[in-house]
Amino acid sequence: MKRLLILFSMVILTVGRVTAQGIVFHDNTPWADIQKMAEEQNKLIFIDCYTTWCGPCKVLARDVFPQKKVGDYFNPNFICVKYDMEKGDGKMLNERYKEHIPGYPTLLFIDKNGVVKQKMAGFQEADDLIKNAQMAMQGRDLFTLQKEYDGGNRDIHFLVDYMASLEGAFKKDEAKKVAADYLSSHDPQELDRDEVWQAFGKYVTDIHSPAFDHLVNHAGRYGGILKRDRQAINFQIKSACDRELRQLLRIQFDEQGQAMPLSADTTWAEKVIWYLEKTGQAGSDQYRLNLYIHKQLLQGQYDEAWQAVKTGVKARMSGFYSLKVGDYIAYMAPHMRDKKVLKDYIAVMEGFLNRDRSTEYTVYKTLAMLNRRLGNKQLAEQQRATYEEQLAIERKKFEEMFK
């Protein structure tokens, strides 16, 4: 009777494995045993490299690996195993394959000889996971594709697969380079083709490129007739313009606190703001005000610049926060002799107190500088001490986040 019960249990377990709705993993099984299975069954090994503290690892295990379509493809085609990379054989494999493991989760396809044939990093949707697994099965893995690319293959269908493999492996820099090479050597109208857009569309972020100009001028058509994600396109355009304008309109100081020369390329700044307006982006009014202030500073028109700064502060524009306004004041204050204006600077900066504790320390730094110029040395020293105390607190908070 006992023997029959054991046999019945084995049958139930076997049926459970066959009818499982998702991937059936060997869990931290000795690596030697896994390699032996791969040799005997002539299969690739699929490894889920995880850690117990990794959030995306848990989401993969909960939402993707249990899907039936994932299990239907992986279970018959691979030896599937998962390893905690901080203990046991997982720790050994982490050291052996560290060049292929940029972070967690990392998903590796390894042949029976221990050679990595395909890899993915980060969370993967089910369809992307299956696609990369199919490419590994077909010998169209990342490393094979990379050799073909280095050998000169530039067929668009090949490039679509190559870009997907690079992205899946979290090789962002390589993907950007491939995209830049293609976009710089082809007519921007190529982006109208679905396969080209699929491979390179999201990499059209070089604001100086013909491809970016084309994207701006055709954003409406892309989101309409061509039925592409207009929201994503708008975000892409705005992010690129924001980066460029922050660079063009920023105020910098050297190690001694002296203001460095401002960018004089206001014509290009006008063009970038036009990009925002052309595509109906929010924030163009704020940048126009920033540019006006920038031009006044270049011309030494500090009273006009200050009145415009106060307009931005009064309107609660997002670009007129305490640190930015403090930079404007630090740039203008050395040129200002009128005590009434210096006191006006102080009044505006004091208005930022109790608004945002995380940046309040920057207000005290500016107030200390202004009171020193006004001869209020004791108050300036107190404000400087408060600045340093609050800065130390914020630094400690930042360090705690990464412990």
Side-chain angles (χ1 to χ4, degrees):
M1 183 67 179
K2 184 177 180 180
R3 185 175 296 177
L4 287 173
L5 286 172
I6 293 173
L7 181 60
F8 178 73
S9 298
M10 291 176 65
V11 170
I12 293 297
L13 287 172
T14 302
V15 171
R17 289 177 65 88
V18 171
T19 62
Q21 292 297 295
I23 298 179
V24 179
F25 282 102
H26 297 276
D27 191 353
N28 290 291
T29 302
W31 179 239
D33 293 347
I34 296 297
Q35 284 189 298
K36 185 178 180 181
M37 291 181 209
E39 174 74 33
E40 292 173 347
Q41 299 179 38
N42 193 30
K43 291 180 178 180
L44 288 174
I45 302 166
F46 170 65
I47 305 181
D48 170 26
C49 304
Y50 73 93
T51 64
T52 56
W53 47 263
C54 165
C57 300
K58 295 175 183 177
V59 178
L60 264 178
R62 184 193 68 206
D63 296 342
V64 178
F65 294 152
Q67 292 186 34
K68 183 179 185 301
K69 64 180 178 181
V70 177
D72 286 349
Y73 188 78
F74 275 77
N75 290 331
N77 292 313
F78 302 97
I79 305 297
C80 302
V81 60
K82 58 182 179 178
Y83 287 106
D84 181 340
M85 304 308 280
E86 295 182 330
K87 66 182 183 182
D89 276 10
K91 194 172 183 180
M92 174 271 293
L93 292 169
N94 194 21
E95 179 63 27
R96 179 181 295 181
Y97 295 111
K98 58 184 177 183
E99 67 177 297
H100 297 293
I101 303 176
Y104 306 107
T106 291
L107 309 173
L108 300 177
F109 294 86
I110 298 177
D111 69 15
K112 59 187 178 183
N113 298 314
V115 177
V116 175
K117 306 301 294 182
Q118 182 79 310
K119 66 179 181 180
M120 291 175 278
F123 176 81
Q124 305 290 324
E125 296 289 356
D127 290 341
D128 294 330
L129 183 63
I130 293 171
K131 180 179 179 180
N132 276 278
Q134 290 171 335
M135 292 174 69
M137 284 283 292
Q138 296 162 4
R140 303 297 293 162
D141 54 85
L142 172 61
F143 306 103
T144 300
L145 297 177
Q146 191 167 351
K147 289 179 182 177
E148 285 192 34
Y149 183 80
D150 292 341
N153 190 346
R154 296 297 185 272
D155 175 76
I156 187 59
H157 301 295
F158 161 77
L159 290 174
V160 169
D161 287 343
Y162 184 40
M163 289 294 288
S165 286
L166 287 172
E167 290 164 0
F170 216 64
K171 287 181 167 286
K172 289 186 175 180
D173 291 341
E174 291 89 335
K176 286 179 182 178
K177 186 176 184 307
V178 173
D181 289 346
Y182 184 91
L183 293 169
S184 65
S185 59
H186 289 76
D187 190 309
Q189 292 186 12
E190 286 285 296
L191 289 167
D192 292 5
R193 297 169 56 194
D194 286 339
E195 61 267 40
V196 174
W197 179 258
Q198 177 187 343
F200 304 116
K202 66 182 176 183
Y203 293 97
V204 183
T205 56
D206 179 1
I207 202 164
H208 298 275
S209 68
F212 190 88
D213 192 73
H214 179 82
L215 178 60
V216 168
N217 282 289
H218 295 272
R221 184 167 62 87
Y222 279 15
I225 296 173
L226 297 181
K227 301 187 183 304
R228 293 170 184 168
D229 188 341
R230 180 63 191 273
Q231 185 175 356
I233 291 172
N234 281 350
F235 180 79
Q236 185 171 322
I237 292 170
K238 187 171 186 344
S239 296
C241 291
D242 284 344
R243 285 193 300 271
E244 188 74 5
L245 289 168
R246 282 195 296 267
Q247 180 73 18
L248 289 169
L249 303 177
R250 69 177 177 169
I251 297 175
Q252 291 181 284
F253 302 89
D254 61 22
E255 294 180 357
Q256 287 71 45
Q258 300 297 312
M260 298 174 68
L262 300 176
S263 168
D265 197 356
T266 57
T267 301
W268 176 238
E270 291 273 8
K271 178 67 178 290
V272 178
I273 294 172
W274 178 83
Y275 280 154
L276 291 173
E277 293 171 339
K278 171 75 174 176
T279 51
Q281 307 284 357
S284 59
D285 289 345
Q286 173 192 299
Y287 281 124
R288 286 234 168 260
L289 185 57
N290 287 141
L291 179 56
Y292 173 80
I293 295 167
H294 193 86
K295 288 179 177 179
Q296 299 307 308
L297 294 178
L298 284 170
Q299 297 169 14
Q301 303 295 323
Y302 302 117
D303 288 337
E304 289 81 354
W306 177 238
Q307 292 306 314
V309 170
K310 289 203 295 182
T311 296
V313 173
K314 187 175 181 179
R316 293 289 185 103
M317 290 184 174
S318 60
F320 289 84
Y321 49 94
S322 60
L323 182 58
K324 180 68 173 178
V325 174
D327 284 344
Y328 280 135
I329 290 173
Y331 186 93
M332 295 185 290
H335 305 282
M336 189 55 59
R337 298 291 180 267
D338 189 334
K339 289 187 177 182
K340 289 184 178 180
V341 177
L342 292 173
K343 289 178 180 179
D344 196 25
Y345 291 169
I346 288 175
V348 170
M349 289 306 295
E350 286 178 339
F352 285 109
L353 294 176
N354 301 318
R355 277 198 198 176
D356 185 352
R357 295 290 185 182
S358 66
T359 58
E360 191 170 278
Y361 66 94
T362 65
V363 177
Y364 285 106
K365 180 182 179 181
T366 305
L367 291 175
M369 178 270 292
L370 292 170
N371 276 303
R372 192 176 299 110
R373 284 187 58 81
L374 287 168
N376 303 325
K377 293 184 179 179
Q378 185 176 357
L379 179 57
E381 289 175 2
Q382 291 173 353
Q383 289 171 336
R384 182 71 188 187
T386 302
Y387 159 69
E388 292 175 352
E389 289 172 7
Q390 292 194 4
L391 176 60
I393 292 171
E394 293 305 320
R395 280 177 175 168
K396 187 174 181 180
K397 288 180 182 177
F398 184 78
E399 291 168 358
E400 289 292 333
M401 290 173 59
F402 294 94
K403 282 187 177 179

